[in-house]
Amino acid sequence: MQHFVTGDGLNCFRLPVGWQYLVANTLGGTLDPTFFASYNQLVQACLATGAHCIVDLHNYARWNGGIVGQGGPTNAQLNSVWSQLAAKYASQPNIIFGTMNEPHDLTMSTWAVTLQGVVSAIRAAGATSQLILLPGTNYAAAGGFVANSAPALSTIKDSDGTTSKLIYDIHQYLDSDGSGTHADCVTDHVSDNLTPLASYLRSNGRKAFLTETGGGNVADCVQYVCSELSYLNTNSDVYLGWQGWAAGAFATSYVLSETPTGNTDTLLVQQCIAGKF
């Protein structure tokens, strides 16, 4: 992370962690001292750079396949882990709470009730100043967000009744099926996905954060990812920024690798992820 801050000027990192890992596979349990200490070491390293750090519960709205609040874990069990995490980081203004990675195949109205509980739990634990990310369905897809996710998410309120610190969490990949599993990019998704969403956000006084995008280190991805991020820059009144996926422990052979070789960044990071920032 220090490389990306010092060498590239990046200022935000997303730090995924599994719910099961944090509580040693005990649903509704307390944070495991050993496992949480390991994750917290990563968080503290991020905070030490001066960057913002997203605590990302990377569970797809699920625990071992069961959907939270929809036949799987209860809302109270999800609230429990978030209450504990929020208490740990309540004094850290550079923490952002990423409530859940890529929910999918669920009932949005019910999911919004679940997220309202998470927001309330975070605030009740004393973390009152930090941004909270709200993901919709279809793997947090930007495409279809206005129709499929926004109506339900718009009902969620902060503890003071406002929404300015509640940020819509969106993902957008640029390969042929939007899955982020192919090296090639075929579109920037500006006209079909990002522009309609920007109009919605502007009309409704809301903001979004693109917390996953990326592509292979090839010319067409440089073209389309750079175009995508240029659009976000132009519309920064409603888009807070972006996160490239992924670096860290990912091998450089990973199709979307952004892991540097020594101090040398990948092509996509040089040209777009850091270049457009």
Side-chain angles (χ1 to χ4, degrees):
M1 286 181 284
Q2 190 63 59
H3 161 80
F4 289 119
V5 172
T6 304
D8 298 322
L10 298 182
N11 65 356
C12 188
F13 299 95
R14 185 166 174 254
L15 310 175
V17 66
W19 184 0
Q20 293 92 332
Y21 177 84
L22 288 172
V23 296
N25 277 312
T26 302
L27 183 59
T30 58
L31 295 176
D32 179 86
T34 300
F35 294 146
F36 174 72
S38 179
Y39 179 66
N40 186 50
Q41 186 175 12
L42 179 67
V43 175
Q44 296 303 323
C46 178
L47 291 170
T49 69
H52 281 78
C53 310
I54 301 174
V55 176
D56 164 39
L57 201 64
H58 213 79
N59 273 74
Y60 306 89
R62 284 158 169 77
W63 174 287
N64 297 344
I67 302 173
V68 183
Q70 301 183 38
T74 65
N75 290 343
Q77 288 167 330
L78 181 59
N79 294 346
S80 172
V81 71
W82 270 116
S83 179
Q84 294 175 73
L85 287 168
K88 295 289 188 181
Y89 299 119
S91 65
Q92 298 290 345
N94 279 9
I95 288 289
I96 298 172
F97 296 111
T99 53
M100 185 61 67
N101 177 69
E102 294 192 344
H104 63 92
D105 297 289
L106 45 68
T107 301
M108 266 307 302
S109 58
T110 308
W111 176 239
V113 173
T114 297
L115 283 181
Q116 179 65 73
V118 171
V119 169
S120 299
I122 289 171
R123 297 310 192 207
T128 58
S129 66
Q130 295 89 347
L131 299 179
I132 299 177
L133 304 180
L134 304 180
T137 191
N138 297 336
Y139 299 91
F145 182 92
V146 173
N148 299 327
S149 297
L153 294 181
S154 67
T155 66
I156 301 171
K157 299 295 187 290
D158 215 331
S159 56
D160 60 0
T162 65
T163 59
S164 60
K165 297 175 187 174
L166 305 182
I167 308 301
Y168 293 146
D169 187 354
I170 59 169
H171 291 179
Q172 181 67 76
Y173 287 102
L174 312 180
D175 49 356
S176 57
D177 59 1
S179 65
T181 59
H182 305 93
D184 295 330
C185 298
V186 300
T187 176
D188 58 13
H189 280 303
V190 167
S191 62
D192 55 346
N193 292 346
L194 296 175
T195 297
L197 178 53
S199 296
Y200 171 86
L201 295 169
R202 207 165 276 122
S203 297
N204 289 273
R206 301 302 297 263
K207 295 185 178 182
F209 198 158
L210 182 62
T211 62
E212 276 192 35
T213 193
N217 289 290
V218 294
D220 53 20
C221 286
V222 169
Q223 174 188 348
Y224 288 122
V225 173
C226 280
S227 176
E228 173 194 37
L229 302 187
S230 290
Y231 181 81
L232 298 188
N233 278 333
T234 302
N235 293 272
S236 60
D237 59 315
V238 292
Y239 288 118
L240 294 187
W242 61 81
Q243 297 278 301
W245 181 272
F250 284 90
T252 54
S253 60
Y254 171 53
V255 67
L256 303 187
S257 175
E258 295 176 5
T259 303
T261 301
N263 289 320
T264 302
D265 283 320
T266 64
L267 177 66
L268 196 69
V269 170
Q270 291 179 38
Q271 297 295 317
C272 305
I273 303 298
K276 288 298 178 181
F277 182 75

